[in-house]
Amino acid sequence: MTRLLKTLTLIGLLTGTGTVQADDHLPDKAVMFKTPNCGCCAGHAKHLEEQGIDVRVIHASPAQMAKTKAKAGVPHDARSCHTIAMGGYAIEGHVPTPAMKKLFKEKPDIDGIALAGMPTGTPGMPGPKEGPFKVKSFNGGTLSAFGDF
């Protein structure tokens, strides 16, 4: 088990983010690390709560956010505005729910998934969807395609 998964597993044990709902494969709890004034992050947390996920939001300074992303193994070119610890994985940015469902259904041996930037039409981001969201997986600092959603 990688250092990241050990850290996220510990966070999961402490916060209960390891329990998975049987019907849609999504864990029932998540921890979101975000800066205090980010409204789009709050929108993504609300979206997750609407999916039945209890989201614990931790407000962090920019320095703390950078440290959290580094500990989670999120590559620099995949970083976004918030990081979620959920079910032993890191989920970076406004990753759409179908990508999360795929992650927890397949349970690949990776550190997490990411949607870099803040694309319009994603959960928490206003505006129309302008095409498929190209979600990446990351493991050991290496990015790979995860899927278009």
Side-chain angles (χ1 to χ4, degrees):
M1 184 180 280
T2 66
R3 184 184 89 238
L4 165 70
L5 288 181
K6 287 180 185 176
T7 301
L8 292 179
T9 299
L10 178 59
I11 290 170
L13 291 173
L14 294 175
T15 62
T17 58
T19 306
V20 176
Q21 297 175 358
D23 59 340
D24 61 11
H25 304 285
L26 290 174
D28 59 2
K29 295 184 186 260
V31 178
M32 174 184 280
F33 299 88
K34 70 180 246 3
T35 56
N37 298 323
C38 187
C40 66
C41 297
H44 195 176
K46 182 180 178 188
H47 172 76
L48 293 174
E49 289 168 345
E50 290 168 352
Q51 307 304 308
I53 300 168
D54 179 27
V55 181
R56 178 177 168 216
V57 176
I58 296 177
H59 293 207
S61 69
Q64 291 168 323
M65 287 300 300
K67 192 178 217 180
T68 297
K69 292 171 189 307
K71 278 186 177 179
V74 180
H76 285 281
D77 52 347
R79 292 184 180 185
S80 186
C81 54
H82 62 265
T83 304
I84 300 169
M86 187 162 66
Y89 291 101
I91 299 171
E92 180 69 15
H94 293 266
V95 174
T97 305
M100 289 188 223
K101 287 182 179 182
K102 176 183 176 183
L103 174 69
F104 292 106
K105 181 178 181 182
E106 296 178 2
K107 297 181 183 172
D109 186 18
I110 59 174
D111 294 334
I113 58 176
L115 182 59
M118 298 161 57
T120 62
T122 56
M125 289 299 298
K129 181 177 178 180
E130 296 178 359
F133 301 123
K134 298 193 178 295
V135 176
K136 304 283 186 179
S137 66
F138 56 93
N139 195 43
T142 301
L143 284 171
S144 300
F146 185 72
D148 292 348
F149 298 90

